[in-house]
Amino acid sequence: MALIVQKYGGSSVADTDSIKRVAKRIIDTKRKGNKVAVVVSAMGDTTDDLIDQALSIDGNPPEREMDMLMTAGERISMSLLAMAIHAAGDRAHSFTGQQAGFLTDARYGAAHIKAVRPDRVKQALSMGDVAIVAGFQGINEDGDPTTLGRGGSDTSAVALAVALGADICEIYTDVDGVFTADPRIVPTARRIPHIDYDSILEMASCGSKVLALRCVEYAQRFKMPLHVRSSFSHRPGTLIVPEGVDPRTLPNID
Ligand code: ADP
Ligand code: ASP
Ligand code: MG
């Protein structure tokens, strides 16, 4: 039985119909005989909207309060997704970053993960439930919520996959994988079926937002295979696999 971590970005859970669609995909993966842990981002533009609301009240809001506010976005999507899985006849358990054991330093808005102790996630998985974890967040030494920087759910997903010893981390987004250029801007851009960590690291550091920089660094360091693919299709995406690993041995790649 494979253990798969799936991350769904904000564009994949933008409204309740999308959340139901994602729930079905998660259940299908589980029913194929896999254990599935999910990391979810806030719905659509929720994080931007929360920031706008904060700035309309206080032009220079306290960092601690900003992180308290921003972590709320992922709490909404994680609980709705757990409900959608329940409504579709399966079992899921959602966890905040704190409950999932994401311990960070105290850099509000750009916290670094120091350790991941996902005991409750493991417990849910061992009971046959889907575990859903709020992306982009952790808790600092004072017990206050922190956020990992914009796009940080990608990093949460890889960190969780590493801590659980998952076989693969799937990053579901709104395009069919990593392209030679942003396919929304360059219509002739081509999907790259396989790419190495260094090349995607370079793309991420040049500002391409398809994967967060720290997520790629983390995956490379811990040799975690990644599959970037669309949650809107079943087409294969882009595989990023450590040297020496035969991609055909990885679960759920077709
Ligand atoms: P999510 O909400 O799933 O986290 P993001 O908006 O953060 O999604 O990232 C996906 C977007 O990244 C795509 O919609 C695409 O416009 C953009 N993008 C930029 N460069 C690339 C690239 N080289 N390949 C694929 N997508 C890219
Ligand atoms: N919701 C956060 C953001 O918009 C984290 C993420 O989506 O990865 O930046
Ligand atoms: Mg993103």
Side-chain angles (χ1 to χ4, degrees), residues 86-99:
H86 177 256
D90 218 310
R91 291 199 317 263
H93 215 103
S94 67
F95 300 100
T96 62
Q98 174 183 11
Q99 291 171 322

Side-chain angles (χ1 to χ4, degrees), residues 7 151 154 209-210:
K7 179 258 173 177
D154 294 339
K209 67 170 185 170
V210 65

